[in-house]
Amino acid sequence: MHISVQSEFFDFSKEVENFSSKLDNIGALVTFTGIVRGQKSKNLDYMLIEHYPGMTETQIKLIVEETFKRWKICDALVIHRYGKLEPGEPIMMVATAAQHRKEAFEAAEYLMDYLKSRAPFWKKEVLNGEGNWVGAASGDEAALSRW
Amino acid sequence: MHISVQSEFFDFSKEVENFSSKLDNIGALVTFTGIVRGQKSKNLDYMLIEHYPGMTETQIKLIVEETFKRWKICDALVIHRYGKLEPGEPIMMVATAAQHRKEAFEAAEYLMDYLKSRAPFWKKEVLNGEGNWVGAASGDEAALSRW
Amino acid sequence: MIDLIYFSWIRERIGKSSESIETRATTIIELIEELKKKDVRYSEVFSDLGSFRVAINQELTNFDASIIEAKEIAFFPPMTGG
Amino acid sequence: MIDLIYFSWIRERIGKSSESIETRATTIIELIEELKKKDVRYSEVFSDLGSFRVAINQELTNFDASIIEAKEIAFFPPMTGG
């Protein structure tokens, strides 16, 4: 289990490389990367992500532990950033490794659904000096009920 | 749309890097990589993948086109190898880029389900000189019915 | 003394990210009522119970949870991770 | 002349990867019956219709499909891509 909550930029492909090079006897690797949408000074100048230090790490750890309990996976990785992010920058990523593809896919989607609604992050989009807090989508909470 | 049917090894993280660097204004990137399971001279000496040249490329193209029709995705990548593969080597990968995570995940799973049962590849596992053709799992065909 | 912590638009509207208070409230909902009487900013922020969440000692909880053991209570909008 | 192509264990059991044939059959199922009479290897390979698939001109099809326009007919087990 690898969890990182960080303000620093991360290189998605290097992180996957790192994660997968340590694994043995896996058959399936799924990754998800969330990226800041929009083009600078058109849709978005930048995004600010606030989080709850301490609780963030604890919550992510609980979510990943629950993922290990529910699916037969070999390993999982979660990286989530906070602070100021430019359009096109990676916000966060998850990676799951398993023997079979079904487990790897479901574990990754489960992680994403729970990180979305249970990890204490809040996003603000800033355009022309105006900030807007991103609201939770109505489907986010509902997405949890499928698990 | 990027499709490659090749015998050569590919570097998963470089392919993702390549694929994603060309994209603009995406919010979600999902990748799946299938890897040869097992440890050399214990579970498996090597895997042989046979395919149907011509039909393989046509079928993959049809599957990817259908994926574009069904989901709002920005781009998709499919790489699939044939020939002799050692344990730990990547067999194939898909990547999907979209504005939102739901579309990226579903498109990747749809691609995988169809590649599994509709792309003309056949796998043989070789251990101690004995080859065994891998049978289709009973769930593979059933997986298509959910789409 | 209990530390109250605010995030996102709750922090912005209350005008501070944290404060330490003394309270006689025994549950979250009593605490919220107490805060609402203190200042109009609190009564505005906490007017709709559906619009925010609460955590006691960094654990998500309900509005009727006891705060007897609370050292840190956080108020924030629904989370938007991922 | 039609090209017949075999893959995987079908290729191994028939003992060749392809052959060109003349046939009076008009459908896949008729062609299969004709092949089965030709040699025991064919009758063994094609004994269970559930165990293999067929493609005409590189397109998946059914056993009752017409082969009038067929240039290339392939027989293979269920695919195991991915």
Side-chain angles (χ1 to χ4, degrees), chain A residues 75-96:
Chain A
D75 207 355
L77 164 79
V78 176
I79 301 174
H80 206 304
R81 294 174 67 197
Y82 60 87
K84 186 177 171 180
L85 282 76
E86 308 280 337
E89 282 192 35
I91 300 171
M92 54 83 63
M93 71 171 288
V94 306
T96 53

Side-chain angles (χ1 to χ4, degrees), chain B:
Chain B
M1 188 194 305
H2 310 269
I3 296 171
S4 175
V5 178
Q6 61 186 55
S7 61
E8 297 76 28
F9 184 91
F10 66 86
D11 181 328
F12 159 70
S13 62
K14 272 186 200 140
E15 297 292 342
V16 180
E17 176 85 37
N18 243 334
F19 174 71
S20 64
S21 66
K22 291 170 198 147
L23 301 168
D24 197 27
N25 199 16
I26 66 159
L29 174 68
V30 168
T31 73
F32 175 90
T33 313
I35 296 153
V36 183
R37 271 195 303 274
Q39 287 161 319
K40 186 146 177 138
S41 59
K42 191 181 156 200
N43 319 94
L44 186 73
D45 290 334
Y46 57 90
M47 176 180 274
L48 282 176
I49 302 183
E50 189 171 324
H51 80 120
Y52 188 170
M55 183 171 167
T56 308
E57 291 80 358
T58 312
Q59 281 290 102
I60 296 179
K61 194 159 171 280
L62 287 172
I63 295 168
V64 177
E65 283 169 354
E66 185 63 25
T67 308
F68 270 92
K69 271 184 217 154
R70 291 193 181 209
W71 283 279
K72 223 180 142 189
I73 55 171
C74 308
D75 208 354
L77 164 79
V78 175
I79 301 174
H80 205 304
R81 293 174 67 197
Y82 59 89
K84 186 177 171 180
L85 282 75
E86 308 280 337
E89 282 193 35
I91 301 171
M92 55 84 64
M93 70 170 289
V94 305
T96 52
Q99 293 244 337
H100 302 284
R101 87 179 188 287
K102 191 174 185 299
E103 283 76 13
F105 264 121
E106 288 188 356
E109 290 195 67
Y110 176 88
L111 277 173
M112 285 307 304
D113 280 350
Y114 272 83
L115 289 170
K116 198 102 196 159
S117 301
R118 291 290 181 270
F121 290 96
W122 300 276
K123 297 190 186 103
K124 188 185 214 174
E125 293 173 341
V126 182
L127 178 62
N128 301 325
E130 286 243 4
N132 256 309
W133 289 101
V134 177
S138 59
D140 289 348
E141 193 67 30
L144 304 187
S145 64
R146 68 166 157 154
W147 303 111

Side-chain angles (χ1 to χ4, degrees), chain A residues 1-4 19 22-23 64 75-79:
Chain A
M1 187 194 305
H2 310 268
I3 297 171
S4 175
F19 174 71
K22 290 170 198 147
L23 300 168
V64 177
D75 207 355
L77 164 79
V78 176
I79 301 174

